[in-house]
Amino acid sequence: MMLTTDVALKRDPDYREVLERFQENPMEFGISFAKAWYKLIHRDMGPPERLLGPEVPDQEMLWQGPIPDADYELVNEEHVAELKREMLDSDLSRTQLVKTAWASASTYRDSDKRGGANGARIRLEPQRSWDVNEPGELETVLDTLEGIQTAFNDSQSDGVRISLADLIVLGGTAAIEEAAAEAGHEIEVPFEPGRTDALAEQTDVESFQALKPDADGFRNYFTDGDGLNRSPEELLVDKADLLDLTPAETTVLVGGMRTLGANHQNSELGVFTDDVGTLTNEFFETVLSMDYEWEAADSEGDKQVYELRHRETGEVEWTGTRVDLIFGSNSRLRTLAEAYAAEEEKFINDFVDTWQKVMTNDRFDLN
């Protein structure tokens, strides 16, 4: 007896070609099977540096997303301070620096340890062209950062270098520190150098395309590509789980990202502040305020966007999505929102800790 899958090996011309080759070359078949089996039972373990033991193969597999080792001296605190000034003095805004760092690091999936900022694959295909990363603006940011990287590396005579992967993360670090300072809070966001830049030949474009998000509630980005008819707030929970975030970490990140203006295409949805780019807790103050009431933007059509109307004047003062509203309607998230609305310093400190967690999710060398 043969199944349809078995018959396909004989009848389909592509399968048939492979079948005949393996029939004539049993050694090739054995090696190919061994590699396929190895891939099957190791693919959820992440990059090769996570593998331990004497039987780990020397050969790096493309599907593992290999990253080169750093063959140079890493930057010190003085270098970091210099590079921060360079980026903040450039034509790039704080929002652009934050958005690029988030786009680079938020590809991480704790389910299979893939993605993340290490490797700077945001500058390579397919990530460079993803709609969620706003390719036009991303190109401008990357061009500027590459110029800063080149100038810095060329100026060093002692073997010190910085990778673009590190510089992208450092840009977000500098932007958040300045955004907090604008709000009257002097903070230092931790930064651990050591990331390197992956090569195009080390990147399987088709494989990395699987990491492309159909939704990212942290950027208020949603498409129709999910196919499961799930609500935006459910998709936010999924994204948070992939990033290994707790409810508190999810809450503080959304509030901070909104005030930093890190929405997709600079959308104003959920940006409940007139001082965009300053790290404040205004998002939570507005979500919880009884001065406003929420109404669907179109009661007969799309109910994903809501208007925030002042109860006395009836004027629309803000707009937001279901993701924004959930922090006022869900009992657990509302409790967290109330804590952050009541104490801005706690909000900023927790935001920094959570941001650092996302930026280092894929730094397995630090664990």
Side-chain angles (χ1 to χ4, degrees):
M1 184 178 71
M2 297 181 69
L3 299 176
T4 303
T5 50
D6 301 320
V7 175
L9 296 177
K10 296 179 61 177
R11 301 300 184 186
D12 184 278
D14 293 331
Y15 284 137
R16 180 82 183 195
E17 181 182 350
V18 176
L19 196 69
E20 292 176 349
R21 191 176 78 246
F22 283 157
Q23 183 184 33
E24 296 172 1
N25 300 277
M27 182 61 71
E28 180 186 356
F29 166 71
I31 294 174
S32 297
F33 178 83
K35 288 183 176 181
W37 183 261
Y38 178 77
K39 179 178 181 179
L40 176 67
I41 61 177
H42 290 85
R43 191 164 191 174
D44 64 343
M45 294 186 67
E49 60 262 29
R50 296 191 72 246
L51 307 182
L52 304 174
E55 297 184 357
V56 176
D58 294 331
Q59 179 184 359
E60 287 187 338
M61 313 297 177
L62 187 62
W63 52 266
Q64 292 177 305
I67 297 170
D69 295 328
D71 57 356
Y72 48 81
E73 294 294 323
L74 301 180
V75 291
N76 58 30
E77 292 184 1
E78 292 183 5
H79 298 135
V80 166
E82 175 188 344
L83 288 164
K84 285 180 182 178
R85 288 193 299 271
E86 288 286 336
M87 288 184 284
L88 293 175
D89 290 342
S90 70
D91 292 334
L92 301 178
S93 66
R94 293 197 292 267
T95 295
Q96 286 177 308
L97 291 171
V98 167
K99 288 170 67 173
T100 304
W102 176 263
S104 182
S106 65
T107 54
Y108 177 77
R109 304 194 307 191
D110 198 54
S111 56
D112 57 7
K113 316 300 181 186
R114 300 188 65 205
N118 202 358
R121 286 191 166 92
I122 193 172
R123 79 194 197 287
L124 304 174
E125 295 297 342
Q127 295 183 34
R128 189 174 186 130
S129 298
W130 287 349
D131 175 66
V132 66
N133 291 338
E134 303 175 58
E137 183 177 63
L138 178 60
E139 183 176 357
T140 299
V141 176
L142 291 178
D143 285 347
T144 301
L145 293 182
E146 287 170 353
I148 293 172
Q149 177 200 20
T150 299
F152 174 81
N153 289 345
D154 289 347
S155 68
Q156 303 301 310
S157 58
D158 51 3
V160 173
R161 298 288 183 274
I162 190 166
S163 65
L164 190 62
D166 268 344
L167 196 62
I168 288 171
V169 172
L170 184 59
T173 296
I176 290 171
E177 289 177 348
E178 188 171 77
E182 287 273 336
H185 300 272
E186 296 297 329
I187 61 165
E188 182 176 348
V189 181
F191 173 73
E192 293 281 356
R195 301 168 185 83
T196 59
D197 298 333
L199 305 176
E201 52 266 31
Q202 293 176 306
T203 304
D204 183 350
V205 173
E206 183 177 355
S207 174
F208 272 93
Q209 187 68 12
L211 274 64
K212 180 181 179 181
D214 289 325
D216 183 350
F218 296 98
R219 289 183 273 187
N220 248 338
Y221 172 81
F222 305 97
T223 69
D224 297 327
D226 183 71
L228 298 178
N229 297 318
R230 292 181 294 170
S231 65
E233 61 270 28
E234 290 174 322
L235 295 172
L236 171 70
V237 172
D238 278 358
K239 181 69 173 178
D241 184 60
L242 286 174
L243 291 171
D244 192 30
L245 298 176
T246 66
E249 290 169 338
T250 301
T251 300
V252 77
L253 260 185
V254 170
M257 293 282 281
R258 294 294 187 271
T259 58
L260 290 170
N263 276 347
H264 178 250
Q265 292 185 342
N266 300 319
S267 164
E268 294 183 355
L269 295 173
V271 184
F272 306 140
T273 177
D274 292 322
D275 197 8
V276 180
T278 300
L279 190 57
T280 67
N281 62 349
E282 290 182 77
F283 172 85
F284 300 110
E285 293 177 341
T286 302
V287 164
L288 300 173
S289 175
M290 295 305 295
D291 293 337
Y292 309 106
E293 59 182 353
W294 292 95
E295 291 184 359
D298 182 356
S299 59
E300 301 297 327
D302 184 5
K303 296 186 178 181
Q304 305 303 307
V305 176
Y306 290 78
E307 295 174 338
L308 184 59
R309 294 180 178 273
H310 198 280
R311 292 185 184 275
E312 293 185 359
T313 66
E315 295 292 324
V316 176
E317 297 198 6
W318 311 103
T319 55
T321 66
R322 292 173 62 97
V323 166
D324 303 314
L325 269 66
I326 197 66
F327 295 97
S329 60
N330 179 275
S331 59
R332 185 176 184 184
L333 296 180
R334 184 182 178 91
T335 299
L336 295 166
E338 287 173 348
Y340 290 130
E343 190 175 349
E344 187 170 77
E345 185 174 358
K346 175 177 174 55
F347 157 71
I348 290 178
N349 289 334
D350 286 1
F351 178 83
V352 168
D353 290 343
T354 306
W355 177 269
Q356 173 69 357
K357 178 178 178 177
V358 173
M359 294 298 117
T360 57
N361 264 335
D362 65 337
R363 290 296 303 278
F364 307 112
D365 57 312
L366 300 178
N367 299 330

